[in-house]
Amino acid sequence: MNSFSQRESGSTRETAVRLEGAAALCAVLSAALRAGLTPERCLEVAGVGPQDERLRLVAGGLVGSSWDVAIESGAAPARLLGRLSELLTAVASSMRQAEVAAAGPRATIRLVIWLPIASLLLSQLAGIPALAVLLTTPVGLAMLIAGVVLLWAARVWMTTLITRAQRYSWATGLAPDLVAMALHSGASPATAWHLVEQIPEQGYLDVESRQRDVESCQHAVSQADAWGVPAAAMLELKARLLRRMEAQQREATVAALAVHVMLPLGVCVLPAFVLLAVVPSVLALLSSTGLSGG
């Protein structure tokens, strides 16, 4: 099983770390090969063995598959692994940017969730026994339960919105880039397609995204043959376009997130603020002035 699934890692940050680890491994192997070391010695320098789990699992086995293809085909392995390192580093950088873009909404969640509680504590410090109203009266207990439930619902709702906005198809554009990378290194088209088959399905958000990447490879090769241009150059162009489209869609999703979080704020957080801070404070003031019984 592939251990490099974003669903397993739980966050774009952890996925980016694994990608960077895969990129670093590729870079070390590429540098060792360029230095003229034997494949066996390269693995020793990188601190992995031919059957090492890290070589097989990191990046969904893509590093191990690229190593096998490079060594067995003899197609400029240093260049192939070096290019793969650059690709994985670029993807990891994009994922970290996505994590930073979601930092604002995450901070908003933390702020608004604690706002009703902070207001309640400020009322206590100001000498308004709002907390006593919540804990010692039937109406107060009902408001306390309702407010806590609303805050919990708001947190779950907003966290779900952010999680959906951060879903990242890290493998988008990788298929045409891998084919171009293999062709540049002197590998055969069949060898290049073997690398594409090693891209883990979990790298995509859905089956359609993976199919789109594969079809883009076929379309780019057909265009290159029809126009008489190098297939690798056309494939690299396709890869850049696919990643740009993915980045634009992700930016639009994150931008819309600022609007979407307003709904749970209005539906859950605002009523919770009224129930936990405003109404208890008003009831406490009325009770202290003797107007509540009037």
Side-chain angles (χ1 to χ4, degrees), residues 174-252:
L174 190 57
D177 246 332
L178 284 177
V179 176
M181 179 182 73
L183 293 178
H184 273 310
S185 301
S188 66
T191 300
W193 280 107
H194 174 70
L195 280 181
V196 172
E197 294 172 355
Q198 304 307 310
I199 300 176
E201 294 182 2
Q202 293 90 340
Y204 295 94
L205 293 181
D206 48 52
V207 177
E208 290 74 16
S209 297
R210 182 184 179 89
Q211 185 62 30
R212 181 193 60 198
D213 266 21
V214 173
E215 290 176 353
S216 70
C217 289
Q218 298 168 341
H219 185 249
V221 172
S222 298
Q223 281 186 321
D225 291 340
W227 297 348
V229 298
M234 186 65 70
L235 286 163
E236 289 175 341
L237 175 60
K238 283 286 186 181
R240 287 195 295 269
L241 290 175
L242 286 170
R243 278 195 288 271
R244 184 176 300 173
M245 290 171 57
E246 174 80 7
Q248 289 175 344
Q249 183 176 359
R250 186 173 64 253
E251 290 171 1

Side-chain angles (χ1 to χ4, degrees), residues 19-98:
L19 278 170
E20 289 166 345
L25 180 57
C26 287
V28 171
L29 292 173
S30 176
L33 287 169
R34 292 179 189 275
L37 302 182
T38 63
E40 294 75 13
R41 181 57 180 157
C42 290
L43 292 175
E44 292 179 9
V45 170
V48 297
Q51 304 302 322
D52 194 292
E53 185 183 47
R54 285 175 294 171
L55 189 64
R56 300 297 149 190
L57 294 183
V58 70
L62 191 57
V63 175
S65 299
S66 300
W67 171 261
D68 291 340
V69 166
I71 299 302
E72 293 171 7
S73 67
R79 180 174 182 177
L80 189 150
L81 291 169
R83 177 57 180 156
L84 180 57
S85 175
E86 294 172 0
L87 290 176
L88 295 179
T89 300
V91 173
S93 177
S94 296
M95 297 192 76
R96 289 193 177 278
Q97 291 174 9

